[in-house]
Amino acid sequence: QLFTDGITNKLVACYTDEGMADAVLVRVYGRKTELFVDRETELRSFQVLRAHGCAPDLYCAFQNGLCYQFLPGIALGPDHVRDPHIFRLVAQEMARVHAIHANRSLPKPILWQKLHKYLTLVKTELSPKVSNPSLQQDVPSLEMLEQELAWMKDTLSQLGSPVVLCHNDLLCKNIIYDRPRECVRFIDYEYTGYNYQAFDIGNHFNEFAGVKEVDYRLYPSKETQLQWLHSYLQAYKRLTQGARGDTVVSEEELEALYVQVNKFSLASHFLWACWGLIQDKYSTIDFNFLRSIFPQLFLFSLFPWLSF
């Protein structure tokens, strides 16, 4: 069975049992994805997450793909992630991933390295601007993007968000809901790595708007965000402080994380906009990458003028 939801790779389920009880997944990497995905890091992240019970079994890796365990359940959509019951499960699972410490000392966040790499690729691979000349007027100049990246790094790095192990690509379809077990699991670890806690959450909130039919009116309201963040902080405190720790979440903690998350969602818009420009040139997958990035570029341009 070929899965068609992915916009980076090709994914096929192979099975003999009609109920897919014996299914394995084979993922074939998309064309030129090595430009923005470190496959060795992906494998290490997969193994670390598996060791902590946060990923399926990995059966083998080959030159241009992976074979791993099929997780039963449904891939979520924008309607699911707004359901309070499900989004609390998502918040708790994200806290579980963030609580993993694979190294004794945490490395630097990968965000700025990634953003500089993507912007360099846009500059060198898509010079002067984009592959489609008719769209040049809709894409900011490289000089403007460089200025905005410098502003972003200077502003966001001062917010004090902890560096934790992050999924970094928690769109709805990367969350599998297992209804019988009442749990969710995250899949696809191509971008997993140590990063700002608030980036991972802000990126997920952006994904409430969907992928193919993007509607940013679906971005979670402050009330929904506070409920989500409260569940997350409770779980994160319990996992990192142990039974003797205080899991009570104060209003000050909640508000501080809310501000951090909504500011870091800006970096998510910038990153995926650059990613979309690169994918538009190289990907063989039938998806309108340029159409998907225009709302992100528009929202990104508004953020420097917003206050929280």
Side-chain angles (χ1 to χ4, degrees), residues 212-294:
K212 293 187 177 180
E213 298 297 331
V214 178
D215 182 359
Y216 279 105
R217 291 174 299 180
L218 299 178
Y219 187 83
S221 65
K222 182 173 183 178
E223 179 183 0
T224 297
Q225 289 188 55
L226 292 178
Q227 292 177 25
W228 197 105
L229 294 172
H230 189 275
S231 295
Y232 168 86
L233 283 172
Q234 275 192 325
Y236 185 71
K237 283 188 164 190
R238 183 174 65 252
L239 291 163
T240 56
Q241 298 180 13
R244 293 174 296 178
D246 182 8
T247 60
V248 175
V249 178
S250 69
E251 291 296 324
E252 292 76 16
E253 289 175 304
L254 200 57
E255 187 66 23
L257 183 55
Y258 167 77
V259 170
Q260 290 174 347
V261 163
N262 283 276
K263 290 189 174 183
F264 267 98
S265 66
L266 162 61
S268 166
H269 286 306
F270 190 99
L271 185 146
W272 295 117
C274 291
W275 177 90
L277 288 171
I278 300 164
Q279 282 280 62
D280 176 68
K281 179 173 181 180
Y282 291 115
S283 179
T284 58
I285 292 174
D286 183 18
F287 183 77
N288 191 333
F289 292 98
L290 287 174
R291 180 188 173 201
S292 72
I293 70 170
F294 289 150

Coordinates of all heavy atoms in Angstrom, one line a residue, residues 212-294:
K212 N -1.8 20.7 3.0 CA -2.3 20.9 1.6 C -3.3 22.0 1.5 O -3.3 22.8 0.5 CB -2.8 19.6 1.1 CG -1.7 18.5 0.9 CD -2.2 17.3 0.2 CE -1.0 16.3 0.1 NZ -1.5 15.0 -0.6
E213 N -4.2 22.1 2.4 CA -5.2 23.2 2.4 C -4.9 24.0 3.6 O -5.6 23.8 4.7 CB -6.6 22.6 2.4 CG -6.9 21.7 1.2 CD -6.9 22.5 -0.1 OE1 -7.2 23.8 -0.1 OE2 -6.6 22.0 -1.2
V214 N -4.0 25.0 3.5 CA -3.6 25.7 4.7 C -4.6 26.8 5.0 O -5.0 27.6 4.2 CB -2.2 26.4 4.4 CG1 -1.8 27.2 5.6 CG2 -1.2 25.3 4.1
D215 N -5.0 26.9 6.3 CA -5.9 27.9 6.8 C -5.4 28.3 8.2 O -5.7 27.6 9.2 CB -7.3 27.3 6.9 CG -8.3 28.3 7.4 OD1 -7.9 29.5 7.7 OD2 -9.5 28.0 7.4
Y216 N -4.7 29.5 8.3 CA -4.1 29.9 9.5 C -5.2 30.5 10.5 O -4.8 30.8 11.6 CB -3.0 30.9 9.3 CG -1.7 30.2 8.9 CD1 -1.3 30.2 7.6 CD2 -1.0 29.5 9.9 CE1 -0.1 29.5 7.3 CE2 0.1 28.8 9.5 CZ 0.6 28.8 8.2 OH 1.7 28.2 7.9
R217 N -6.4 30.5 10.1 CA -7.5 30.8 11.1 C -7.6 29.6 12.1 O -8.2 29.8 13.2 CB -8.8 31.0 10.4 CG -8.9 32.3 9.6 CD -10.1 32.4 8.8 NE -10.3 31.3 7.8 CZ -11.3 31.2 7.0 NH1 -12.3 32.1 7.0 NH2 -11.4 30.2 6.1
L218 N -7.1 28.4 11.7 CA -7.1 27.3 12.6 C -6.0 27.3 13.7 O -5.9 26.4 14.5 CB -7.0 26.0 11.8 CG -8.1 25.8 10.8 CD1 -7.9 24.5 10.0 CD2 -9.5 25.7 11.5
Y219 N -5.1 28.3 13.6 CA -4.0 28.4 14.6 C -4.7 28.4 15.9 O -5.7 29.2 16.1 CB -3.2 29.6 14.3 CG -2.0 29.8 15.2 CD1 -0.8 29.1 14.9 CD2 -2.0 30.6 16.4 CE1 0.4 29.3 15.7 CE2 -0.9 30.7 17.2 CZ 0.3 30.1 16.8 OH 1.4 30.2 17.6
P220 N -4.2 27.7 16.9 CA -4.9 27.6 18.2 C -5.1 28.9 18.9 O -4.2 29.7 19.0 CB -4.1 26.6 19.0 CG -2.7 26.6 18.4 CD -3.0 26.9 17.0
S221 N -6.3 29.1 19.5 CA -6.5 30.3 20.3 C -5.7 30.3 21.5 O -5.1 29.3 21.9 CB -8.0 30.4 20.7 OG -8.3 29.3 21.5
K222 N -5.6 31.4 22.2 CA -4.8 31.5 23.4 C -5.4 30.5 24.5 O -4.6 29.9 25.2 CB -4.8 32.9 24.0 CG -4.0 33.0 25.3 CD -3.8 34.5 25.7 CE -2.9 34.5 27.0 NZ -2.6 35.9 27.4
E223 N -6.7 30.4 24.6 CA -7.3 29.5 25.5 C -6.9 28.1 25.3 O -6.5 27.3 26.2 CB -8.8 29.6 25.5 CG -9.5 28.7 26.5 CD -11.0 28.8 26.3 OE1 -11.5 29.5 25.5 OE2 -11.7 28.0 27.1
T224 N -6.9 27.7 24.0 CA -6.5 26.3 23.6 C -5.0 26.1 23.9 O -4.6 25.1 24.5 CB -6.8 26.0 22.2 OG1 -8.2 26.1 21.9 CG2 -6.3 24.6 21.7
Q225 N -4.2 27.1 23.6 CA -2.8 27.0 23.8 C -2.5 26.8 25.3 O -1.6 26.0 25.7 CB -2.1 28.2 23.3 CG -2.0 28.3 21.8 CD -1.1 29.5 21.3 OE1 0.0 29.6 21.7 NE2 -1.7 30.4 20.5
L226 N -3.1 27.6 26.1 CA -2.9 27.5 27.6 C -3.3 26.2 28.1 O -2.6 25.6 29.0 CB -3.6 28.7 28.3 CG -3.1 30.1 28.0 CD1 -4.0 31.1 28.8 CD2 -1.6 30.2 28.4
Q227 N -4.3 25.6 27.6 CA -4.7 24.3 28.1 C -3.6 23.2 27.6 O -3.2 22.4 28.4 CB -6.1 23.9 27.5 CG -7.2 24.6 28.0 CD -8.5 24.3 27.3 OE1 -8.7 23.2 26.8 NE2 -9.5 25.2 27.3
W228 N -3.2 23.4 26.4 CA -2.2 22.5 25.9 C -0.9 22.6 26.7 O -0.3 21.6 27.1 CB -1.9 22.8 24.4 CG -1.2 21.8 23.6 CD1 -1.8 21.0 22.6 CD2 0.2 21.5 23.5 NE1 -0.8 20.2 22.0 CE2 0.4 20.5 22.6 CE3 1.3 22.0 24.3 CZ2 1.7 20.0 22.3 CZ3 2.6 21.5 24.0 CH2 2.7 20.5 23.0
L229 N -0.5 23.8 26.9 CA 0.8 24.1 27.6 C 0.7 23.7 29.0 O 1.8 23.2 29.6 CB 1.1 25.6 27.5 CG 1.4 26.1 26.1 CD1 1.6 27.6 26.1 CD2 2.7 25.5 25.5
H230 N -0.4 23.8 29.6 CA -0.6 23.3 31.0 C -0.3 21.8 31.1 O 0.4 21.3 32.0 CB -1.9 23.7 31.6 CG -2.1 23.5 33.1 ND1 -2.4 22.2 33.6 CD2 -1.9 24.3 34.1 CE1 -2.5 22.3 34.9 NE2 -2.2 23.6 35.2
S231 N -0.9 21.1 30.2 CA -0.7 19.6 30.2 C 0.7 19.3 29.9 O 1.3 18.3 30.5 CB -1.6 19.0 29.1 OG -3.0 19.1 29.4
Y232 N 1.3 20.0 29.0 CA 2.7 19.8 28.7 C 3.6 20.0 29.9 O 4.5 19.2 30.3 CB 3.2 20.7 27.5 CG 4.7 20.7 27.3 CD1 5.3 19.7 26.5 CD2 5.5 21.7 28.0 CE1 6.7 19.7 26.4 CE2 6.8 21.7 27.8 CZ 7.4 20.7 27.0 OH 8.8 20.7 26.9
L233 N 3.5 21.2 30.6 CA 4.3 21.5 31.7 C 4.2 20.5 32.8 O 5.2 20.2 33.5 CB 4.0 23.0 32.1 CG 4.6 24.1 31.3 CD1 4.1 25.4 31.7 CD2 6.2 24.0 31.3
Q234 N 2.9 20.1 33.1 CA 2.7 19.1 34.2 C 3.5 17.9 33.9 O 4.2 17.3 34.7 CB 1.3 18.8 34.3 CG 0.5 19.8 35.2 CD -0.9 19.2 35.5 OE1 -1.5 18.6 34.7 NE2 -1.4 19.5 36.7
A235 N 3.4 17.4 32.6 CA 4.1 16.1 32.3 C 5.6 16.3 32.2 O 6.3 15.5 32.7 CB 3.6 15.7 30.9
Y236 N 6.1 17.4 31.7 CA 7.5 17.7 31.6 C 8.1 17.8 33.0 O 9.2 17.2 33.3 CB 7.8 19.0 30.9 CG 9.2 19.3 30.6 CD1 10.0 18.5 29.7 CD2 9.9 20.3 31.3 CE1 11.3 18.7 29.5 CE2 11.2 20.6 31.0 CZ 11.9 19.8 30.2 OH 13.3 20.0 29.9
K237 N 7.4 18.5 33.9 CA 7.9 18.6 35.3 C 8.0 17.2 36.0 O 9.0 16.9 36.7 CB 7.1 19.5 36.1 CG 7.3 21.0 35.9 CD 6.5 21.8 36.9 CE 7.0 23.3 36.9 NZ 6.4 24.0 38.0
R238 N 6.9 16.4 35.8 CA 6.9 15.1 36.4 C 8.0 14.2 35.9 O 8.7 13.5 36.6 CB 5.6 14.4 36.1 CG 5.4 13.1 36.7 CD 4.0 12.5 36.5 NE 3.7 12.3 35.1 CZ 2.9 13.0 34.4 NH1 2.3 14.0 34.9 NH2 2.7 12.7 33.1
L239 N 8.3 14.3 34.6 CA 9.4 13.5 34.0 C 10.8 13.9 34.3 O 11.7 13.1 34.4 CB 9.2 13.5 32.4 CG 7.9 12.7 31.9 CD1 7.6 13.1 30.5 CD2 8.1 11.2 32.0
T240 N 11.0 15.2 34.5 CA 12.3 15.7 34.7 C 12.7 15.9 36.2 O 13.8 16.0 36.5 CB 12.5 17.1 34.0 OG1 11.5 18.0 34.4 CG2 12.4 16.9 32.5
Q241 N 11.7 16.0 37.0 CA 11.9 16.3 38.4 C 11.6 15.1 39.3 O 12.0 15.1 40.5 CB 11.1 17.5 38.9 CG 11.4 18.8 38.2 CD 10.5 20.0 38.7 OE1 9.9 19.9 39.7 NE2 10.6 21.1 37.9
G242 N 11.0 14.1 38.8 CA 10.7 12.9 39.5 C 9.6 13.0 40.5 O 8.9 14.1 40.6
A243 N 9.3 12.0 41.3 CA 8.2 12.0 42.2 C 8.3 13.1 43.3 O 7.3 13.5 43.8 CB 8.1 10.6 42.9
R244 N 9.5 13.4 43.6 CA 9.7 14.4 44.7 C 9.6 15.9 44.2 O 9.6 16.8 44.9 CB 11.1 14.3 45.3 CG 11.2 12.9 46.1 CD 12.6 12.7 46.6 NE 13.6 12.6 45.5 CZ 14.9 12.5 45.7 NH1 15.4 12.4 46.9 NH2 15.7 12.3 44.6
G245 N 9.5 16.0 42.8 CA 9.4 17.4 42.3 C 8.1 18.0 42.4 O 7.1 17.3 42.6
D246 N 8.0 19.3 42.2 CA 6.8 20.0 42.3 C 6.2 20.1 40.9 O 6.8 20.7 40.0 CB 7.0 21.4 42.8 CG 5.7 22.2 43.0 OD1 4.6 21.7 42.8 OD2 5.8 23.5 43.3
T247 N 5.0 19.5 40.6 CA 4.4 19.5 39.3 C 3.4 20.6 39.1 O 2.7 20.6 38.1 CB 3.8 18.1 38.9 OG1 2.8 17.8 39.9 CG2 4.9 17.1 38.9
V248 N 3.2 21.4 40.2 CA 2.2 22.5 40.1 C 2.7 23.5 39.1 O 3.9 23.9 39.1 CB 2.0 23.2 41.4 CG1 1.1 24.4 41.3 CG2 1.5 22.2 42.4
V249 N 1.8 23.9 38.1 CA 2.2 24.9 37.1 C 1.6 26.2 37.5 O 0.4 26.4 37.6 CB 1.6 24.5 35.7 CG1 1.9 25.5 34.7 CG2 2.1 23.1 35.3
S250 N 2.5 27.2 37.6 CA 2.1 28.6 38.0 C 1.6 29.3 36.8 O 2.0 29.0 35.7 CB 3.2 29.3 38.7 OG 4.3 29.6 37.8
E251 N 0.9 30.4 37.1 CA 0.4 31.3 36.0 C 1.6 31.9 35.3 O 1.6 32.2 34.1 CB -0.6 32.3 36.5 CG -1.9 31.8 37.0 CD -2.7 31.2 35.8 OE1 -2.6 31.7 34.7 OE2 -3.4 30.2 36.1
E252 N 2.6 32.3 36.1 CA 3.8 32.9 35.5 C 4.5 32.0 34.6 O 5.0 32.4 33.5 CB 4.7 33.4 36.7 CG 4.2 34.5 37.5 CD 3.1 34.0 38.5 OE1 3.0 32.8 38.8 OE2 2.4 34.9 39.1
E253 N 4.7 30.7 34.9 CA 5.3 29.8 34.1 C 4.5 29.6 32.8 O 5.1 29.5 31.7 CB 5.5 28.4 34.8 CG 6.5 28.4 35.9 CD 6.4 27.0 36.6 OE1 5.3 26.6 37.1 OE2 7.5 26.4 36.7
L254 N 3.3 29.5 32.9 CA 2.4 29.3 31.8 C 2.5 30.4 30.8 O 2.6 30.2 29.6 CB 1.0 29.0 32.3 CG 0.0 28.3 31.3 CD1 0.5 27.0 30.9 CD2 -1.4 28.2 32.0
E255 N 2.4 31.6 31.3 CA 2.4 32.8 30.5 C 3.8 33.0 29.8 O 3.9 33.4 28.6 CB 2.1 34.1 31.3 CG 1.9 35.3 30.5 CD 0.7 35.3 29.6 OE1 -0.3 34.6 29.8 OE2 0.7 36.1 28.6
A256 N 4.8 32.7 30.5 CA 6.2 32.8 30.0 C 6.4 31.8 28.8 O 6.9 32.2 27.7 CB 7.2 32.5 31.0
L257 N 5.9 30.6 28.9 CA 6.0 29.6 27.9 C 5.1 30.0 26.7 O 5.6 29.9 25.5 CB 5.7 28.2 28.4 CG 5.8 27.1 27.3 CD1 7.2 27.0 26.8 CD2 5.5 25.7 28.0
Y258 N 4.0 30.5 27.0 CA 3.1 31.0 25.9 C 3.8 32.0 25.0 O 3.7 32.0 23.8 CB 1.8 31.5 26.5 CG 0.9 32.3 25.5 CD1 0.1 31.7 24.6 CD2 0.9 33.7 25.6 CE1 -0.7 32.4 23.7 CE2 0.1 34.4 24.7 CZ -0.7 33.7 23.8 OH -1.4 34.4 22.9
V259 N 4.4 33.0 25.7 CA 5.1 34.1 24.9 C 6.2 33.5 24.1 O 6.4 33.8 22.9 CB 5.6 35.1 25.9 CG1 6.6 36.1 25.2 CG2 4.5 35.9 26.5
Q260 N 7.0 32.6 24.7 CA 8.2 32.0 24.0 C 7.7 31.2 22.8 O 8.3 31.3 21.7 CB 8.9 31.1 24.9 CG 9.7 31.8 26.0 CD 10.3 30.8 27.0 OE1 10.0 29.6 27.0 NE2 11.2 31.3 27.8
V261 N 6.7 30.4 23.0 CA 6.1 29.6 21.9 C 5.7 30.4 20.7 O 6.0 30.1 19.5 CB 5.0 28.7 22.4 CG1 4.2 28.1 21.3 CG2 5.6 27.6 23.3
N262 N 4.9 31.5 21.0 CA 4.4 32.2 19.9 C 5.4 33.1 19.2 O 5.3 33.4 18.0 CB 3.2 33.1 20.4 CG 2.0 32.3 20.6 OD1 1.2 32.1 19.6 ND2 1.8 31.8 21.8
K263 N 6.5 33.4 19.8 CA 7.6 34.1 19.2 C 8.4 33.1 18.3 O 8.9 33.4 17.2 CB 8.5 34.9 20.2 CG 7.7 36.1 20.7 CD 8.6 37.0 21.6 CE 7.9 38.2 22.0 NZ 8.7 39.2 22.8
F264 N 8.6 31.9 18.9 CA 9.4 30.9 18.1 C 8.7 30.4 16.9 O 9.3 29.8 16.0 CB 9.9 29.8 19.1 CG 11.2 30.0 19.7 CD1 11.4 30.5 20.9 CD2 12.4 29.7 18.9 CE1 12.6 30.7 21.5 CE2 13.6 29.9 19.5 CZ 13.8 30.4 20.8
S265 N 7.3 30.5 16.9 CA 6.6 30.1 15.8 C 7.0 30.8 14.5 O 6.9 30.4 13.4 CB 5.1 30.2 16.0 OG 4.7 31.5 16.1
L266 N 7.6 32.0 14.7 CA 8.1 32.8 13.6 C 9.3 32.1 12.9 O 9.4 32.0 11.7 CB 8.6 34.2 14.2 CG 9.6 35.0 13.3 CD1 9.0 35.3 12.0 CD2 10.1 36.2 14.1
A267 N 10.2 31.5 13.8 CA 11.3 30.8 13.2 C 10.8 29.6 12.4 O 11.4 29.2 11.4 CB 12.2 30.3 14.3
S268 N 9.7 29.0 12.8 CA 9.1 27.9 12.1 C 8.7 28.3 10.7 O 8.9 27.6 9.7 CB 8.0 27.3 12.9 OG 7.2 26.4 12.1
H269 N 8.0 29.5 10.6 CA 7.6 30.0 9.3 C 8.8 30.2 8.4 O 8.7 29.9 7.2 CB 6.8 31.3 9.5 CG 5.4 31.1 10.0 ND1 4.5 30.3 9.5 CD2 4.8 31.7 11.1 CE1 3.4 30.4 10.2 NE2 3.5 31.2 11.2
F270 N 9.8 30.8 8.9 CA 11.0 31.1 8.1 C 11.6 29.9 7.6 O 12.0 29.8 6.4 CB 12.0 31.9 9.0 CG 13.1 32.5 8.2 CD1 13.1 33.9 7.9 CD2 14.2 31.8 7.9 CE1 14.1 34.4 7.2 CE2 15.3 32.3 7.2 CZ 15.2 33.7 6.8
L271 N 11.8 28.9 8.5 CA 12.5 27.6 8.1 C 11.8 26.9 7.0 O 12.4 26.5 6.0 CB 12.7 26.8 9.4 CG 13.5 25.5 9.2 CD1 14.2 25.2 10.5 CD2 12.6 24.3 8.9
W272 N 10.5 26.7 7.2 CA 9.7 25.9 6.2 C 9.5 26.7 4.9 O 9.3 26.1 3.8 CB 8.4 25.4 6.8 CG 8.6 24.5 7.9 CD1 8.3 24.7 9.2 CD2 9.3 23.2 7.9 NE1 8.7 23.6 10.0 CE2 9.3 22.7 9.2 CE3 9.9 22.5 6.9 CZ2 9.9 21.5 9.5 CZ3 10.5 21.3 7.2 CH2 10.5 20.8 8.5
A273 N 9.5 28.0 5.0 CA 9.5 28.8 3.7 C 10.7 28.6 2.9 O 10.6 28.3 1.7 CB 9.3 30.3 4.0
C274 N 11.9 28.6 3.5 CA 13.1 28.3 2.8 C 13.1 26.9 2.3 O 13.5 26.6 1.2 CB 14.3 28.6 3.7 SG 14.6 30.3 4.1
W275 N 12.7 26.0 3.1 CA 12.6 24.5 2.8 C 11.7 24.4 1.5 O 12.0 23.6 0.6 CB 12.0 23.8 4.0 CG 11.8 22.3 3.8 CD1 12.7 21.3 4.0 CD2 10.6 21.7 3.4 NE1 12.1 20.1 3.8 CE2 10.8 20.3 3.4 CE3 9.3 22.2 3.0 CZ2 9.8 19.4 3.0 CZ3 8.3 21.3 2.6 CH2 8.6 19.9 2.6
G276 N 10.6 25.1 1.5 CA 9.7 25.0 0.4 C 10.3 25.5 -0.9 O 10.0 24.9 -2.0
L277 N 11.1 26.5 -0.8 CA 11.7 27.0 -2.0 C 12.7 26.0 -2.6 O 12.8 25.8 -3.8 CB 12.5 28.3 -1.7 CG 11.7 29.6 -1.5 CD1 12.5 30.7 -0.9 CD2 11.0 30.0 -2.7
I278 N 13.4 25.3 -1.7 CA 14.3 24.3 -2.1 C 13.6 23.1 -2.7 O 13.9 22.5 -3.8 CB 15.2 23.8 -1.0 CG1 16.0 25.0 -0.4 CG2 16.2 22.7 -1.4 CD1 16.6 24.8 0.9
Q279 N 12.5 22.6 -2.0 CA 11.7 21.5 -2.5 C 11.1 21.8 -3.8 O 11.0 20.9 -4.7 CB 10.7 21.1 -1.5 CG 11.2 20.4 -0.2 CD 11.3 18.9 -0.5 OE1 12.1 18.5 -1.4 NE2 10.6 18.1 0.2
D280 N 10.7 23.0 -4.0 CA 10.0 23.3 -5.3 C 10.9 23.0 -6.5 O 10.5 22.7 -7.6 CB 9.6 24.8 -5.3 CG 9.0 25.2 -6.6 OD1 7.9 24.8 -6.9 OD2 9.6 26.0 -7.3
K281 N 12.2 23.2 -6.3 CA 13.1 23.0 -7.4 C 13.4 21.5 -7.6 O 13.5 21.1 -8.8 CB 14.4 23.8 -7.1 CG 15.5 23.6 -8.3 CD 16.7 24.4 -8.1 CE 17.7 24.2 -9.2 NZ 18.9 25.0 -9.1
Y282 N 13.6 20.8 -6.6 CA 14.1 19.4 -6.7 C 13.1 18.3 -6.5 O 13.3 17.2 -7.1 CB 15.2 19.2 -5.7 CG 16.5 20.0 -6.0 CD1 16.9 21.0 -5.1 CD2 17.2 19.8 -7.1 CE1 18.0 21.7 -5.4 CE2 18.3 20.5 -7.4 CZ 18.7 21.5 -6.5 OH 19.9 22.2 -6.8
S283 N 12.0 18.5 -5.7 CA 11.2 17.4 -5.4 C 10.4 16.8 -6.6 O 10.0 17.6 -7.5 CB 10.2 17.8 -4.3 OG 9.3 16.7 -4.0
T284 N 10.2 15.5 -6.7 CA 9.4 14.9 -7.7 C 8.0 14.6 -7.2 O 7.2 14.0 -7.9 CB 10.1 13.6 -8.2 OG1 10.3 12.7 -7.1 CG2 11.4 13.9 -8.9
I285 N 7.7 14.9 -5.9 CA 6.4 14.6 -5.3 C 5.4 15.7 -5.8 O 5.7 16.9 -5.9 CB 6.5 14.6 -3.8 CG1 7.3 13.4 -3.4 CG2 5.1 14.6 -3.2 CD1 7.6 13.4 -1.9
D286 N 4.2 15.3 -6.1 CA 3.2 16.1 -6.6 C 2.6 17.0 -5.5 O 1.6 16.6 -4.8 CB 2.1 15.3 -7.3 CG 1.0 16.2 -7.9 OD1 1.2 17.4 -8.2 OD2 -0.1 15.6 -8.2
F287 N 3.2 18.1 -5.3 CA 2.8 19.0 -4.2 C 3.2 20.4 -4.6 O 4.3 20.7 -5.1 CB 3.4 18.6 -2.9 CG 2.9 19.5 -1.7 CD1 1.7 19.3 -1.1 CD2 3.7 20.5 -1.2 CE1 1.2 20.1 -0.1 CE2 3.3 21.3 -0.1 CZ 2.1 21.0 0.4
N288 N 2.3 21.4 -4.4 CA 2.6 22.8 -4.7 C 3.3 23.5 -3.5 O 2.7 24.1 -2.7 CB 1.3 23.5 -5.0 CG 1.5 24.9 -5.7 OD1 2.6 25.5 -5.4 ND2 0.6 25.4 -6.5
F289 N 4.6 23.3 -3.5 CA 5.4 23.8 -2.4 C 5.4 25.4 -2.4 O 5.3 25.9 -1.3 CB 6.9 23.4 -2.6 CG 7.1 21.9 -2.4 CD1 7.1 21.0 -3.4 CD2 7.1 21.4 -1.1 CE1 7.3 19.7 -3.3 CE2 7.3 20.0 -0.9 CZ 7.4 19.2 -2.0
L290 N 5.4 26.0 -3.5 CA 5.4 27.5 -3.5 C 4.1 28.0 -2.9 O 4.1 29.0 -2.2 CB 5.7 28.0 -4.9 CG 7.1 27.9 -5.4 CD1 7.2 28.3 -6.8 CD2 8.1 28.7 -4.5
R291 N 3.0 27.4 -3.3 CA 1.7 27.9 -2.8 C 1.7 27.7 -1.3 O 1.1 28.6 -0.6 CB 0.6 27.0 -3.4 CG -0.8 27.4 -2.9 CD -1.9 26.5 -3.4 NE -3.2 26.8 -2.8 CZ -4.1 25.9 -2.7 NH1 -4.0 24.7 -3.2 NH2 -5.3 26.2 -2.2
S292 N 2.3 26.7 -0.8 CA 2.2 26.4 0.7 C 3.1 27.4 1.5 O 2.8 27.7 2.7 CB 2.7 25.0 1.0 OG 4.1 24.9 0.8
I293 N 4.1 28.0 0.8 CA 5.0 28.9 1.6 C 4.5 30.4 1.6 O 5.0 31.1 2.5 CB 6.5 28.9 1.1 CG1 6.6 29.5 -0.2 CG2 7.0 27.5 1.1 CD1 8.0 29.7 -0.7
F294 N 3.7 30.8 0.7 CA 3.3 32.2 0.7 C 2.6 32.6 2.0 O 2.9 33.7 2.5 CB 2.4 32.5 -0.5 CG 3.2 32.4 -1.8 CD1 2.6 32.1 -3.0 CD2 4.5 32.7 -1.9 CE1 3.3 32.0 -4.2 CE2 5.3 32.7 -3.0 CZ 4.7 32.3 -4.2

